[in-house]
Every structure is written in C-alpha cells, then in structure tokens.
Amino acid sequence: MAGAKEIRSKIGSIKNTQKITRAMEMVAAAKMRKAQDRMLASRPYATKMREVISHLSLAHPEHSHPFMEKREVKSVGYIIVSSDRGLCGGLNNNLFRALVKEVKDLQESGKEIKYCLVGNKAVAFFSRVGGDVLAQATHLGDVPRVEDLIGTVKVMLDAYLDGSVDEVRIAYNRFVNTMTQDPTVERLVPLPEPDEEEGEKLRHHWDYIYEPDAMEVLEDLMSRYIESLVYQAVVENGACEQSARMVAMKAASDNAGNLIDELELVYNKARQAAITQEISEIVSGAAAV
Amino acid sequence: MAMTVHVDIVSAEGELYSGQGEMIYAPAVMGEIGVAPRHAPLVTRLKPGDVRVDPGGGKPMEHFYVSGGIIEVQPFRVTIMADTGVRAADLDEAAALEAKRRAEEALANRSSEMEIAKAQAELAEAVAQLQTIEKLRKMKK
C-alpha cells in the first residue's frame, strides 16, 4: 500500500503549487487593471505626438535638427523594453525572438548593433548571448517614472548625436488586449514618416512658423517626443506583463487542477485494489479454516 | 455653415477634447494666439494658462487649463499637447490659492537659485489657474 501514500503526498504538493499560482493570478489581475489604466491614459498623448512628429518630418525647416536628418545607416541602436520579473509566459521571449531575427539580418548586411536595455529580463538575456550594451535601467517598479528612464535613453541619443549609431529603434510589447501582446519594433530617430494618406496632403514644400525660434521649439519638441514615446513603450510593456502573467498563472492553476484530478483517480484505484485484495485474503483465509 | 477645424487637446493623463472648432485661443509663450481654420502651419510652446475652443454653431465656449505644452497648427488640424491639463470647470480655486501662497512664501525665503526658479514656475502656474477660474466666472454671469 506504499503507492497510495506517495500519491497522497504528491497531490498535497500540487495543491500547494496551485494555491501559489492562484494567488499570483489574482495579484496580477489586480495590478493589470492599474497598469492598463495607466497605459490608456497616456496613449492619446503619445499617438498625437507621433502624428505631429511625422508632420514635422515632412516640413522643410531653415534650422534642421539632427533627429530630422537621415544618414547612411552603418550601425543601429536598439532600446529594448522588457519586464523585470519572469513567470509571465512567453512575453519576453517572443520579443527577443522577433528582435534576434531582425538583428541577424542587419548583422549579415554588415551593420553594427548597440543596445540600451530596460528591465531585468533583457539584461539577463543579453548577458547570456552577448552584445554591445551601452546602458541599462532595471527595477522600475509597477509605476514607471520618466526620470528613471531618461538616463538610459539619453545615452542612446548621445550616441546618435555623436554619430556612433545612425538610427535608434525601440522594441517593446504593444498591448492589444489581455490575451494578445504584440512584439513591436519602431524607429525612434530619425523621425518616422507619416502614412501615405496623411503624407499626401503635406507633400508640397512648406514649413512651420516657429515661435520664438525654430531651434528652441524643435529642441523642446524632440525631448518631449522621445520622453513620451519611451514612457509609453514602458507602460505598454507593463500592462502586457501583468496580463501575460495573469493568463500564464491561470493556465498553471488549471493545469494543476487537471493533474490533481488525474492523481486522485489513480489514488482511488490504488485504494480500491488494496481493499479488494484485503477482503479476498480474509475470505480465502476463512475458507481454509 | 462657418468653417471649422479639427481640434485635439491631449495631456499626459488623457484626452481632454476632440472635436470641431471655429476658433481656438491658446497661451503661447510669445503671447496669446487665436487660431482660425486654415491657419498657416505653426508650432510653438505654451505657457500656463487657459485654452478656449469655440465649437461654433452657438454652442458654449469650451474652457481648459494647461500647465504648458506644445501646440501644432496645420491648416486642417490643430493639436494641443499639454503637460498637464484639466477642464477649466474642474479647476480647484482653493488649491490654486494655496499653491500661490506656498510659491510666494518660497520666493520670500529665497534660498538657492534652483529653488527660486522652481517657485517662480509654480507661482506662474497658480496665477494662471486663478485667472482661468476668474475668466470662467465672468463668462457665466
């Protein structure tokens, strides 16, 4: 009857695991709400900023900002936004996989790649696979602040300004809904162009009126642009992380439930078999007497 | 039907207004500007103050308070990106007065250069909020 006892203890341990995953699921669900609200609140600003910037990329200003000039791309800088913690399904791995594919193509065409990392998981990944890491920021917490990101991003922008990278891209998970997260890579600088329809209206030669003067306004606009887009990427990734974790933990709890059911069946069978055997022993013993 | 232009006002905390406007007034750094439809392209910084949108068609003026930001004008679209913004009706006069008092106090016991600059910025913001409230009140009468 040793089998039954082993099965009992196994069921007990799985039940404990299930308790933990269920607790994590609930924590993630609670945090997800807040993370989503935060993301949705700042989304319109980032969207508008992107629009304005794409208009700007079609203007012909007398003072050209370095971010507006296209150079021949010899090296590409990536800002990679990942989560600080694991146990969130394939979230980070999906992003890295998409990234590695892109990076490989770039490297094959002889381009240099540099990285700025946000989040522990990216740091762990790149310390494993190697790569030229310029800066990193970790432990942003549940409420990311722009101030914590600025340093890291500035390193990349400085590299752009002094010419050691010719293009800066940002990679993050874009939040679609609770079940779907979309690994996204976007170009940050030089400024991205608007889509066709919008662009058509602005194809002619024109320029803004700048007040007080072009340089000051552009400088201000650029810093806001970078700040808002990087911040948006981080909060989107945060919302993705919590939803991915919730889904992953829900799946884990369900799996634990299935395992318990199966084991309980095995256990009952073993118990039944033991009882049957005992009875038949007693009966045959009695018959012998 | 009078001409209108699409207006979007967003702040870092969310979307404040999205709709048509016949005329938009905004506190640019060089002085208040009025933007009519088909205005030439313009970008400029905003200082703390009130943004007004006249939606046209006899509808009442929409009032917003912004603490600074950027306005982009295109002939067919106006976008205001505020650092922080609220509908003027939601402004809290008591809080603004308190903020003004605090800023003035900080200016009075002047210490480092940095703090003075910060206090001045806060004072300007509080004063702009109070002015917005004042304007709104006058309009209602």
Side-chain angles (χ1 to χ4, degrees), chain B residues 88-104:
Chain B
D90 300 339
L91 273 183
D92 186 346
E93 187 174 15
L97 276 172
E98 171 65 21
K100 185 179 169 212
R101 194 191 55 73
R102 259 204 319 270
E104 279 169 346

Side-chain angles (χ1 to χ4, degrees), chain A residues 94-289:
Chain A
N94 287 344
L95 181 68
F96 295 150
R97 197 175 308 138
L99 202 68
V100 163
K101 204 166 145 247
E102 201 181 295
V103 165
K104 210 175 219 168
D105 287 346
L106 285 172
Q107 275 169 336
E108 268 164 20
S109 56
K111 293 185 174 55
E112 249 184 278
I113 311 288
K114 293 189 168 77
Y115 304 99
C116 274
L117 310 174
V118 178
N120 264 336
K121 288 290 149 186
V123 174
F125 180 77
F126 282 97
S127 66
R128 209 164 54 235
V129 301
D132 190 359
V133 178
L134 297 180
Q136 61 188 52
T138 54
H139 301 293
L140 296 174
D142 291 329
V143 190
R145 289 181 314 165
V146 176
E147 299 92 82
D148 299 333
L149 299 166
I150 285 302
T152 318
V153 173
K154 196 165 182 315
V155 172
M156 194 48 105
L157 294 180
D158 285 348
Y160 179 80
L161 291 176
D162 71 24
S164 54
V165 298
D166 303 306
E167 194 177 311
V168 179
R169 297 183 190 175
I170 184 162
Y172 64 100
N173 279 293
R174 201 167 54 84
F175 183 87
V176 182
N177 58 41
T178 310
M179 300 302 291
T180 325
Q181 293 88 31
D182 186 16
T184 310
V185 181
E186 274 172 7
R187 191 171 81 187
L188 217 51
V189 285
L191 306 182
E193 279 120 30
D195 51 37
E196 284 297 309
E197 189 200 342
E198 197 67 340
E200 220 32 63
K201 293 189 206 160
L202 295 168
R203 205 51 75 185
H204 57 285
H205 193 92
W206 63 282
D207 189 21
Y208 285 110
I209 304 167
Y210 302 92
E211 282 181 12
D213 69 289
M215 205 161 109
E216 213 172 298
V217 173
L218 286 180
E219 207 49 67
D220 198 46
L221 192 59
M222 292 304 162
S223 63
R224 275 164 212 258
Y225 162 66
I226 300 290
E227 267 173 38
S228 84
L229 256 69
V230 173
Y231 176 77
Q232 187 61 27
V234 172
V235 290
E236 294 249 349
N237 201 70
C240 288
E241 179 191 346
Q242 297 304 342
S243 4
R245 179 165 301 132
M246 191 189 81
V247 172
M249 287 301 120
K250 186 168 173 32
S253 307
D254 291 351
N255 283 344
N258 289 343
L259 256 182
I260 290 170
D261 286 349
E262 271 168 35
L263 282 176
E264 233 143 42
L265 209 68
V266 176
Y267 171 75
N268 284 342
K269 262 188 196 154
R271 196 171 54 98
Q272 284 285 342
I275 293 168
T276 316
Q277 198 189 346
E278 236 169 74
I279 290 175
S280 71
E281 272 166 17
I282 291 167
V283 171
S284 60
V289 175

Side-chain angles (χ1 to χ4, degrees), chain A residues 51-59 198 202 206 208, chain B residues 72 74:
Chain A
E51 260 175 48
V52 169
I53 286 295
S54 69
H55 292 165
L56 189 68
S57 71
L58 291 176
E198 197 67 340
L202 295 168
W206 63 282
Y208 285 110
Chain B
E72 189 229 16
Q74 288 282 356

